[in-house]
Structure formats: C-alpha cells, structure tokens
Amino acid sequence: MLNLLFLFAYKRLILQLRRIKMSQFMNEIQSVTDLTTKAAVIEGIIAILLSFVLSLVITYLYRKTHKNGRYSQSFVHTIIIMSVVVAVIMIVIGNNIAVAFGLVGAFSIIRFRSAMSDPKDIAFIFFGMAAGIACGLGFYLLAVMFTIILSILIYILYLLDYGGLKSTYKSLRITIPENMHYENVFDEIFEKYLDYYQLKQVETTNLGTMYQLNYLIAKKEGIPDKELIDAIRAKNANLKVSIGMVN
C-alpha cells in the first residue's frame, strides 16, 4: 500500500514539474514574440518616417526644377503618399512570396487614366517609389544615399540646362479655315523659323467654321515674331495668328 501511495505521489510530482516547465517554455516563447513584434513595429515606424522625409526632399527638388508645364500640388502630394505606401507594402510582404503575389493581383486591377503633362513627372514617381522600397526593406542608409546622390545629379542637370534649347518657349495660335487640312501644312515654315514645335491642341472656333491650332514653339535665334507671323499668314488665308508666352 505504501509503495502504491509513493508511486502515485511521484507521478503527480512529475506531472506538475512538466506543467511548470511547459508554462515556463510558453512564457519564454511569448516573451520572444513580444520582443520580435516590438522590433518589427519600431522598424516599421522608422521606415515610414524615413520614406516620408525622403519624399519631402524629392518633392522639394521637383518644385525647384519644374518648368514648362502645369504645376500640380496634388501630384506633389501623390509622390509623398506613394513613397510611404510602397514602404508599408514592402514591410508587409517581407519574405512572404504568397503575400507578394496576392498584392500583385490586387494592384493589377488599378488603372491610371490621367496623362502626364511632362515625362519627367513619371521619373519622379519612380524616384519616390524607389526610396520607399529601400526604406521598406530596411536599407535605410542606401535609401538616404540614393536620394541625396540622385537629387544632386538632377539639380546639376537642371542648372546646366542639359539637353535644353537655347530659345525660349512660346505659344503659337493659328486660325485656319475649316476646309484646310492642317496636317504638315506649316511644317516648311516651322523648319525654317523654329528650333522646336509641337502641336498641343486643335479646337473649333467661330461657331465651328474655323479651326484654331495651338502650338508650343521655340524660335531660332534672331527671328522676329513679325517675320514668322507674316510667313504663316501667307498660308492660312490671312486669318488670325498670335504668339504669346507660355503660362
């Protein structure tokens, strides 16, 4: 009888010890999990704040170097928002391939309908996204270096006016009869007097009896406005021609 009681007490003691060890083990796991979660939260906050700061630098550069086109405050805000959003997306994805494919499928339904007025705007969007990706992946130093170096290079290109024309841009409005085929009709004149020309808009005027062609032009050096206007009037039946500054 004593042996049975002793054996029963021994087994209960073993079970209690196992429960204590299991409880300690679970507490240690919970502690490690809490530390990991806290570290992830801190890294996420750093990535979000850093991507926001870097996007501010990028948009400030955009504002300083923007020219020849319509300026949009909403576009500046878009660059900042996209940079932060991309950083958060990269944090969420991490090393999870399934989540990455899921996000690709989710974002594939998005369509952007608005056209960019300046191709350089697209480059600034990718600039902000690249900074956000680097921050989201934890490459903070690389993100800072990339933003600073590329910003300096872009500003140098802006100061040197690399690839630009010496002539200043102006707007040219030509009124023509509705029966005139305006495609390429003025090309010979433009080649003679202009360094650059681009048809920006065609609209009807005078109750639909005439067309108005709106061009963005850059004259050759030494060409007066009157000489260009007189050459165009000889082609457009002496209708209205106007040259103005670009807004």
Side-chain angles (χ1 to χ4, degrees):
M1 180 64 69
L2 291 174
N3 290 335
L4 290 174
L5 291 174
F6 178 77
L7 182 60
F8 178 74
Y10 176 74
K11 288 183 177 180
R12 288 191 63 182
L13 179 62
I14 295 298
L15 288 173
Q16 290 179 355
L17 290 174
R18 287 180 178 176
R19 288 175 182 173
I20 292 173
K21 289 181 178 180
M22 182 59 68
S23 177
Q24 291 175 347
F25 179 70
M26 293 302 295
N27 289 335
E28 290 179 359
I29 292 178
Q30 184 65 35
S31 177
V32 172
T33 303
D34 292 340
L35 290 174
T36 304
T37 303
K38 290 179 181 178
V41 170
I42 293 173
E43 289 182 359
I45 293 174
I46 293 174
I48 291 172
L49 293 178
L50 182 59
S51 63
F52 178 76
V53 172
L54 294 180
S55 62
L56 289 179
V57 175
I58 294 170
T59 51
Y60 178 78
L61 176 68
Y62 173 78
R63 291 173 56 197
K64 292 289 290 184
T65 60
H66 181 77
K67 59 181 180 179
N68 300 329
R70 295 180 179 178
Y71 174 81
S72 173
Q73 183 184 25
S74 62
F75 178 75
V76 173
H77 292 175
T78 299
I79 295 176
I80 298 173
I81 294 170
M82 288 190 67
S83 179
V84 177
V85 169
V86 168
V88 174
I89 290 174
M90 298 309 299
I91 295 171
V92 172
I93 290 175
N95 296 322
N96 194 326
I97 299 177
V99 175
F101 279 107
L103 287 172
V104 169
F107 283 107
S108 65
I109 64 174
I110 299 175
R111 297 291 185 271
F112 296 96
R113 300 296 182 185
S114 59
M116 295 293 178
S117 59
D118 189 346
K120 192 172 68 174
D121 293 352
I122 301 175
F124 272 93
I125 289 178
F126 280 105
F127 190 2
M129 291 177 62
I133 290 173
C135 292
L137 293 176
F139 299 110
Y140 306 130
L141 181 60
L142 176 62
V144 174
M145 291 177 58
F146 164 71
T147 303
I148 293 174
I149 293 174
L150 185 54
S151 297
I152 292 173
L153 294 176
I154 292 174
Y155 194 66
I156 290 174
L157 293 176
Y158 168 73
L159 292 177
L160 297 177
D161 195 22
Y162 179 77
L165 297 172
K166 294 182 179 179
S167 304
T168 57
Y169 288 98
K170 292 185 177 181
S171 63
L172 171 65
R173 294 181 177 88
I174 304 174
T175 302
I176 61 173
E178 63 173 344
N179 59 353
M180 177 181 287
H181 298 287
Y182 55 84
E183 292 88 352
N184 304 323
V185 68
F186 299 107
D187 283 1
E188 184 178 349
I189 298 174
F190 291 163
E191 293 291 339
K192 181 179 179 181
Y193 294 99
L194 304 178
D195 279 328
Y196 172 84
Y197 62 92
Q198 181 183 8
L199 180 62
K200 305 294 289 186
Q201 187 180 24
V202 179
E203 59 182 345
T204 59
T205 184
N206 197 20
L207 300 178
T209 60
M210 298 180 184
Y211 288 111
Q212 181 173 283
L213 312 180
N214 298 324
Y215 289 88
L216 180 67
I217 64 170
K219 296 186 303 177
K220 293 181 179 180
E221 291 187 14
I223 300 296
D225 291 345
K226 184 180 184 302
E227 186 175 346
L228 174 61
I229 291 175
D230 290 342
I232 295 174
R233 289 172 61 193
K235 284 277 189 178
N236 75 330
N238 203 27
L239 294 176
K240 182 178 179 181
V241 179
S242 63
I243 297 177
M245 301 303 296
V246 177
N247 295 328

PDB file of all heavy atoms in Angstrom, residues 196-221:
ATOM      1  N   TYR A 196      12.074  74.297 -82.432  1.00  0.00           N
ATOM      2  CA  TYR A 196      11.208  73.258 -81.854  1.00  0.00           C
ATOM      3  C   TYR A 196       9.753  73.673 -82.049  1.00  0.00           C
ATOM      4  O   TYR A 196       9.408  74.857 -81.927  1.00  0.00           O
ATOM      5  CB  TYR A 196      11.502  73.091 -80.361  1.00  0.00           C
ATOM      6  CG  TYR A 196      10.531  72.192 -79.626  1.00  0.00           C
ATOM      7  CD1 TYR A 196      10.692  70.813 -79.623  1.00  0.00           C
ATOM      8  CD2 TYR A 196       9.447  72.740 -78.936  1.00  0.00           C
ATOM      9  CE1 TYR A 196       9.801  69.996 -78.956  1.00  0.00           C
ATOM     10  CE2 TYR A 196       8.558  71.921 -78.260  1.00  0.00           C
ATOM     11  CZ  TYR A 196       8.737  70.559 -78.273  1.00  0.00           C
ATOM     12  OH  TYR A 196       7.852  69.746 -77.619  1.00  0.00           O
ATOM     13  N   TYR A 197       8.901  72.700 -82.345  1.00  0.00           N
ATOM     14  CA  TYR A 197       7.461  72.962 -82.410  1.00  0.00           C
ATOM     15  C   TYR A 197       6.704  71.666 -82.133  1.00  0.00           C
ATOM     16  O   TYR A 197       7.144  70.580 -82.480  1.00  0.00           O
ATOM     17  CB  TYR A 197       7.054  73.540 -83.773  1.00  0.00           C
ATOM     18  CG  TYR A 197       7.312  72.643 -84.959  1.00  0.00           C
ATOM     19  CD1 TYR A 197       6.333  71.766 -85.437  1.00  0.00           C
ATOM     20  CD2 TYR A 197       8.538  72.667 -85.607  1.00  0.00           C
ATOM     21  CE1 TYR A 197       6.571  70.948 -86.527  1.00  0.00           C
ATOM     22  CE2 TYR A 197       8.791  71.852 -86.697  1.00  0.00           C
ATOM     23  CZ  TYR A 197       7.798  70.992 -87.154  1.00  0.00           C
ATOM     24  OH  TYR A 197       8.041  70.180 -88.232  1.00  0.00           O
ATOM     25  N   GLN A 198       5.578  71.832 -81.469  1.00  0.00           N
ATOM     26  CA  GLN A 198       4.726  70.683 -81.130  1.00  0.00           C
ATOM     27  C   GLN A 198       3.278  71.140 -81.096  1.00  0.00           C
ATOM     28  O   GLN A 198       2.937  72.119 -80.429  1.00  0.00           O
ATOM     29  CB  GLN A 198       5.112  70.082 -79.779  1.00  0.00           C
ATOM     30  CG  GLN A 198       4.268  68.866 -79.399  1.00  0.00           C
ATOM     31  CD  GLN A 198       4.623  68.323 -78.031  1.00  0.00           C
ATOM     32  OE1 GLN A 198       5.392  68.929 -77.298  1.00  0.00           O
ATOM     33  NE2 GLN A 198       4.078  67.175 -77.685  1.00  0.00           N
ATOM     34  N   LEU A 199       2.431  70.427 -81.816  1.00  0.00           N
ATOM     35  CA  LEU A 199       1.006  70.732 -81.808  1.00  0.00           C
ATOM     36  C   LEU A 199       0.402  70.222 -80.500  1.00  0.00           C
ATOM     37  O   LEU A 199       0.409  69.027 -80.218  1.00  0.00           O
ATOM     38  CB  LEU A 199       0.318  70.071 -83.005  1.00  0.00           C
ATOM     39  CG  LEU A 199      -1.191  70.303 -83.131  1.00  0.00           C
ATOM     40  CD1 LEU A 199      -1.495  71.789 -83.301  1.00  0.00           C
ATOM     41  CD2 LEU A 199      -1.761  69.496 -84.311  1.00  0.00           C
ATOM     42  N   LYS A 200      -0.138  71.146 -79.687  1.00  0.00           N
ATOM     43  CA  LYS A 200      -0.665  70.792 -78.383  1.00  0.00           C
ATOM     44  C   LYS A 200      -2.177  70.612 -78.377  1.00  0.00           C
ATOM     45  O   LYS A 200      -2.710  69.786 -77.639  1.00  0.00           O
ATOM     46  CB  LYS A 200      -0.298  71.879 -77.355  1.00  0.00           C
ATOM     47  CG  LYS A 200       1.186  72.182 -77.254  1.00  0.00           C
ATOM     48  CD  LYS A 200       1.959  71.005 -76.710  1.00  0.00           C
ATOM     49  CE  LYS A 200       1.686  70.785 -75.244  1.00  0.00           C
ATOM     50  NZ  LYS A 200       2.544  69.724 -74.669  1.00  0.00           N
ATOM     51  N   GLN A 201      -2.878  71.373 -79.226  1.00  0.00           N
ATOM     52  CA  GLN A 201      -4.340  71.335 -79.170  1.00  0.00           C
ATOM     53  C   GLN A 201      -4.934  71.814 -80.480  1.00  0.00           C
ATOM     54  O   GLN A 201      -4.385  72.709 -81.141  1.00  0.00           O
ATOM     55  CB  GLN A 201      -4.844  72.206 -78.004  1.00  0.00           C
ATOM     56  CG  GLN A 201      -6.344  72.101 -77.750  1.00  0.00           C
ATOM     57  CD  GLN A 201      -6.781  72.987 -76.596  1.00  0.00           C
ATOM     58  OE1 GLN A 201      -6.120  73.965 -76.275  1.00  0.00           O
ATOM     59  NE2 GLN A 201      -7.894  72.653 -75.961  1.00  0.00           N
ATOM     60  N   VAL A 202      -6.061  71.220 -80.861  1.00  0.00           N
ATOM     61  CA  VAL A 202      -6.843  71.655 -82.020  1.00  0.00           C
ATOM     62  C   VAL A 202      -8.273  71.840 -81.545  1.00  0.00           C
ATOM     63  O   VAL A 202      -8.851  70.948 -80.913  1.00  0.00           O
ATOM     64  CB  VAL A 202      -6.789  70.622 -83.165  1.00  0.00           C
ATOM     65  CG1 VAL A 202      -7.640  71.100 -84.337  1.00  0.00           C
ATOM     66  CG2 VAL A 202      -5.365  70.368 -83.604  1.00  0.00           C
ATOM     67  N   GLU A 203      -8.848  72.999 -81.832  1.00  0.00           N
ATOM     68  CA  GLU A 203     -10.226  73.262 -81.421  1.00  0.00           C
ATOM     69  C   GLU A 203     -10.933  74.091 -82.476  1.00  0.00           C
ATOM     70  O   GLU A 203     -10.302  74.817 -83.247  1.00  0.00           O
ATOM     71  CB  GLU A 203     -10.266  73.979 -80.075  1.00  0.00           C
ATOM     72  CG  GLU A 203      -9.540  75.310 -80.041  1.00  0.00           C
ATOM     73  CD  GLU A 203      -9.574  75.950 -78.671  1.00  0.00           C
ATOM     74  OE1 GLU A 203     -10.389  75.517 -77.839  1.00  0.00           O
ATOM     75  OE2 GLU A 203      -8.794  76.892 -78.434  1.00  0.00           O
ATOM     76  N   THR A 204     -12.264  73.971 -82.498  1.00  0.00           N
ATOM     77  CA  THR A 204     -13.062  74.760 -83.432  1.00  0.00           C
ATOM     78  C   THR A 204     -13.339  76.133 -82.842  1.00  0.00           C
ATOM     79  O   THR A 204     -13.365  76.310 -81.624  1.00  0.00           O
ATOM     80  CB  THR A 204     -14.391  74.055 -83.741  1.00  0.00           C
ATOM     81  OG1 THR A 204     -15.123  73.856 -82.516  1.00  0.00           O
ATOM     82  CG2 THR A 204     -14.158  72.709 -84.406  1.00  0.00           C
ATOM     83  N   THR A 205     -13.557  77.100 -83.738  1.00  0.00           N
ATOM     84  CA  THR A 205     -13.863  78.467 -83.293  1.00  0.00           C
ATOM     85  C   THR A 205     -14.807  79.101 -84.305  1.00  0.00           C
ATOM     86  O   THR A 205     -15.048  78.550 -85.392  1.00  0.00           O
ATOM     87  CB  THR A 205     -12.573  79.302 -83.167  1.00  0.00           C
ATOM     88  OG1 THR A 205     -12.900  80.586 -82.644  1.00  0.00           O
ATOM     89  CG2 THR A 205     -11.856  79.439 -84.493  1.00  0.00           C
ATOM     90  N   ASN A 206     -15.350  80.246 -83.942  1.00  0.00           N
ATOM     91  CA  ASN A 206     -16.266  80.986 -84.819  1.00  0.00           C
ATOM     92  C   ASN A 206     -17.440  80.101 -85.261  1.00  0.00           C
ATOM     93  O   ASN A 206     -17.716  79.939 -86.445  1.00  0.00           O
ATOM     94  CB  ASN A 206     -15.511  81.537 -86.031  1.00  0.00           C
ATOM     95  CG  ASN A 206     -16.282  82.642 -86.735  1.00  0.00           C
ATOM     96  OD1 ASN A 206     -17.166  83.252 -86.150  1.00  0.00           O
ATOM     97  ND2 ASN A 206     -15.949  82.888 -88.000  1.00  0.00           N
ATOM     98  N   LEU A 207     -18.093  79.490 -84.250  1.00  0.00           N
ATOM     99  CA  LEU A 207     -19.264  78.627 -84.482  1.00  0.00           C
ATOM    100  C   LEU A 207     -18.947  77.431 -85.365  1.00  0.00           C
ATOM    101  O   LEU A 207     -19.786  76.969 -86.155  1.00  0.00           O
ATOM    102  CB  LEU A 207     -20.406  79.454 -85.091  1.00  0.00           C
ATOM    103  CG  LEU A 207     -20.916  80.633 -84.247  1.00  0.00           C
ATOM    104  CD1 LEU A 207     -22.017  81.393 -84.992  1.00  0.00           C
ATOM    105  CD2 LEU A 207     -21.432  80.142 -82.902  1.00  0.00           C
ATOM    106  N   GLY A 208     -17.746  76.927 -85.252  1.00  0.00           N
ATOM    107  CA  GLY A 208     -17.367  75.722 -85.976  1.00  0.00           C
ATOM    108  C   GLY A 208     -16.950  75.942 -87.412  1.00  0.00           C
ATOM    109  O   GLY A 208     -16.706  74.977 -88.148  1.00  0.00           O
ATOM    110  N   THR A 209     -16.835  77.191 -87.842  1.00  0.00           N
ATOM    111  CA  THR A 209     -16.457  77.467 -89.229  1.00  0.00           C
ATOM    112  C   THR A 209     -14.948  77.544 -89.415  1.00  0.00           C
ATOM    113  O   THR A 209     -14.471  77.612 -90.548  1.00  0.00           O
ATOM    114  CB  THR A 209     -17.079  78.798 -89.703  1.00  0.00           C
ATOM    115  OG1 THR A 209     -16.606  79.856 -88.853  1.00  0.00           O
ATOM    116  CG2 THR A 209     -18.601  78.730 -89.638  1.00  0.00           C
ATOM    117  N   MET A 210     -14.205  77.534 -88.316  1.00  0.00           N
ATOM    118  CA  MET A 210     -12.747  77.617 -88.396  1.00  0.00           C
ATOM    119  C   MET A 210     -12.125  76.715 -87.339  1.00  0.00           C
ATOM    120  O   MET A 210     -12.781  76.308 -86.365  1.00  0.00           O
ATOM    121  CB  MET A 210     -12.263  79.066 -88.191  1.00  0.00           C
ATOM    122  CG  MET A 210     -12.749  80.040 -89.242  1.00  0.00           C
ATOM    123  SD  MET A 210     -12.141  81.718 -88.936  1.00  0.00           S
ATOM    124  CE  MET A 210     -12.975  82.613 -90.256  1.00  0.00           C
ATOM    125  N   TYR A 211     -10.845  76.419 -87.534  1.00  0.00           N
ATOM    126  CA  TYR A 211     -10.048  75.683 -86.557  1.00  0.00           C
ATOM    127  C   TYR A 211      -8.999  76.611 -85.955  1.00  0.00           C
ATOM    128  O   TYR A 211      -8.480  77.506 -86.633  1.00  0.00           O
ATOM    129  CB  TYR A 211      -9.331  74.490 -87.196  1.00  0.00           C
ATOM    130  CG  TYR A 211     -10.230  73.347 -87.556  1.00  0.00           C
ATOM    131  CD1 TYR A 211     -10.487  73.033 -88.889  1.00  0.00           C
ATOM    132  CD2 TYR A 211     -10.820  72.551 -86.576  1.00  0.00           C
ATOM    133  CE1 TYR A 211     -11.301  71.974 -89.233  1.00  0.00           C
ATOM    134  CE2 TYR A 211     -11.626  71.486 -86.905  1.00  0.00           C
ATOM    135  CZ  TYR A 211     -11.881  71.210 -88.233  1.00  0.00           C
ATOM    136  OH  TYR A 211     -12.695  70.159 -88.568  1.00  0.00           O
ATOM    137  N   GLN A 212      -8.700  76.364 -84.688  1.00  0.00           N
ATOM    138  CA  GLN A 212      -7.578  77.056 -84.052  1.00  0.00           C
ATOM    139  C   GLN A 212      -6.548  76.031 -83.619  1.00  0.00           C
ATOM    140  O   GLN A 212      -6.856  75.121 -82.848  1.00  0.00           O
ATOM    141  CB  GLN A 212      -8.040  77.871 -82.840  1.00  0.00           C
ATOM    142  CG  GLN A 212      -6.888  78.618 -82.163  1.00  0.00           C
ATOM    143  CD  GLN A 212      -7.359  79.551 -81.068  1.00  0.00           C
ATOM    144  OE1 GLN A 212      -7.868  80.633 -81.337  1.00  0.00           O
ATOM    145  NE2 GLN A 212      -7.206  79.127 -79.823  1.00  0.00           N
ATOM    146  N   LEU A 213      -5.327  76.175 -84.111  1.00  0.00           N
ATOM    147  CA  LEU A 213      -4.231  75.274 -83.800  1.00  0.00           C
ATOM    148  C   LEU A 213      -3.354  75.918 -82.734  1.00  0.00           C
ATOM    149  O   LEU A 213      -2.907  77.062 -82.908  1.00  0.00           O
ATOM    150  CB  LEU A 213      -3.399  74.975 -85.049  1.00  0.00           C
ATOM    151  CG  LEU A 213      -4.166  74.589 -86.320  1.00  0.00           C
ATOM    152  CD1 LEU A 213      -3.192  74.334 -87.463  1.00  0.00           C
ATOM    153  CD2 LEU A 213      -5.035  73.360 -86.071  1.00  0.00           C
ATOM    154  N   ASN A 214      -3.095  75.204 -81.654  1.00  0.00           N
ATOM    155  CA  ASN A 214      -2.256  75.711 -80.571  1.00  0.00           C
ATOM    156  C   ASN A 214      -0.945  74.930 -80.559  1.00  0.00           C
ATOM    157  O   ASN A 214      -0.949  73.715 -80.368  1.00  0.00           O
ATOM    158  CB  ASN A 214      -2.969  75.580 -79.228  1.00  0.00           C
ATOM    159  CG  ASN A 214      -4.244  76.399 -79.173  1.00  0.00           C
ATOM    160  OD1 ASN A 214      -4.315  77.486 -79.739  1.00  0.00           O
ATOM    161  ND2 ASN A 214      -5.257  75.889 -78.487  1.00  0.00           N
ATOM    162  N   TYR A 215       0.164  75.644 -80.737  1.00  0.00           N
ATOM    163  CA  TYR A 215       1.488  75.041 -80.792  1.00  0.00           C
ATOM    164  C   TYR A 215       2.338  75.528 -79.615  1.00  0.00           C
ATOM    165  O   TYR A 215       2.169  76.655 -79.118  1.00  0.00           O
ATOM    166  CB  TYR A 215       2.219  75.407 -82.081  1.00  0.00           C
ATOM    167  CG  TYR A 215       1.688  74.765 -83.333  1.00  0.00           C
ATOM    168  CD1 TYR A 215       0.671  75.367 -84.065  1.00  0.00           C
ATOM    169  CD2 TYR A 215       2.214  73.561 -83.802  1.00  0.00           C
ATOM    170  CE1 TYR A 215       0.192  74.774 -85.236  1.00  0.00           C
ATOM    171  CE2 TYR A 215       1.739  72.970 -84.962  1.00  0.00           C
ATOM    172  CZ  TYR A 215       0.731  73.580 -85.676  1.00  0.00           C
ATOM    173  OH  TYR A 215       0.256  73.006 -86.825  1.00  0.00           O
ATOM    174  N   LEU A 216       3.277  74.675 -79.203  1.00  0.00           N
ATOM    175  CA  LEU A 216       4.375  75.082 -78.323  1.00  0.00           C
ATOM    176  C   LEU A 216       5.607  75.193 -79.204  1.00  0.00           C
ATOM    177  O   LEU A 216       5.996  74.218 -79.859  1.00  0.00           O
ATOM    178  CB  LEU A 216       4.594  74.066 -77.212  1.00  0.00           C
ATOM    179  CG  LEU A 216       5.727  74.379 -76.233  1.00  0.00           C
ATOM    180  CD1 LEU A 216       5.391  75.612 -75.407  1.00  0.00           C
ATOM    181  CD2 LEU A 216       5.998  73.190 -75.311  1.00  0.00           C
ATOM    182  N   ILE A 217       6.232  76.384 -79.231  1.00  0.00           N
ATOM    183  CA  ILE A 217       7.314  76.612 -80.182  1.00  0.00           C
ATOM    184  C   ILE A 217       8.533  77.194 -79.472  1.00  0.00           C
ATOM    185  O   ILE A 217       8.436  77.749 -78.372  1.00  0.00           O
ATOM    186  CB  ILE A 217       6.876  77.571 -81.309  1.00  0.00           C
ATOM    187  CG1 ILE A 217       6.561  78.966 -80.740  1.00  0.00           C
ATOM    188  CG2 ILE A 217       5.700  77.007 -82.077  1.00  0.00           C
ATOM    189  CD1 ILE A 217       6.358  80.037 -81.804  1.00  0.00           C
ATOM    190  N   ALA A 218       9.677  77.075 -80.145  1.00  0.00           N
ATOM    191  CA  ALA A 218      10.915  77.743 -79.732  1.00  0.00           C
ATOM    192  C   ALA A 218      11.574  78.271 -81.007  1.00  0.00           C
ATOM    193  O   ALA A 218      11.971  77.491 -81.882  1.00  0.00           O
ATOM    194  CB  ALA A 218      11.840  76.778 -79.005  1.00  0.00           C
ATOM    195  N   LYS A 219      11.652  79.569 -81.122  1.00  0.00           N
ATOM    196  CA  LYS A 219      12.175  80.180 -82.337  1.00  0.00           C
ATOM    197  C   LYS A 219      13.694  80.073 -82.413  1.00  0.00           C
ATOM    198  O   LYS A 219      14.372  79.984 -81.396  1.00  0.00           O
ATOM    199  CB  LYS A 219      11.777  81.657 -82.408  1.00  0.00           C
ATOM    200  CG  LYS A 219      10.288  81.916 -82.505  1.00  0.00           C
ATOM    201  CD  LYS A 219      10.025  83.412 -82.728  1.00  0.00           C
ATOM    202  CE  LYS A 219      10.637  84.245 -81.610  1.00  0.00           C
ATOM    203  NZ  LYS A 219      10.473  85.688 -81.833  1.00  0.00           N
ATOM    204  N   LYS A 220      14.184  80.127 -83.635  1.00  0.00           N
ATOM    205  CA  LYS A 220      15.621  80.208 -83.836  1.00  0.00           C
ATOM    206  C   LYS A 220      16.101  81.597 -83.443  1.00  0.00           C
ATOM    207  O   LYS A 220      15.330  82.562 -83.431  1.00  0.00           O
ATOM    208  CB  LYS A 220      15.971  79.921 -85.298  1.00  0.00           C
ATOM    209  CG  LYS A 220      15.695  78.486 -85.718  1.00  0.00           C
ATOM    210  CD  LYS A 220      16.089  78.249 -87.168  1.00  0.00           C
ATOM    211  CE  LYS A 220      15.838  76.796 -87.570  1.00  0.00           C
ATOM    212  NZ  LYS A 220      16.206  76.543 -88.983  1.00  0.00           N
ATOM    213  N   GLU A 221      17.379  81.705 -83.117  1.00  0.00           N
ATOM    214  CA  GLU A 221      17.940  82.978 -82.682  1.00  0.00           C
ATOM    215  C   GLU A 221      17.878  84.006 -83.815  1.00  0.00           C
ATOM    216  O   GLU A 221      18.170  83.696 -84.970  1.00  0.00           O
ATOM    217  CB  GLU A 221      19.387  82.789 -82.222  1.00  0.00           C
ATOM    218  CG  GLU A 221      19.524  81.998 -80.930  1.00  0.00           C
ATOM    219  CD  GLU A 221      20.962  81.991 -80.429  1.00  0.00           C
ATOM    220  OE1 GLU A 221      21.756  82.807 -80.936  1.00  0.00           O
ATOM    221  OE2 GLU A 221      21.272  81.173 -79.555  1.00  0.00           O
TER     222      GLU A 221
END
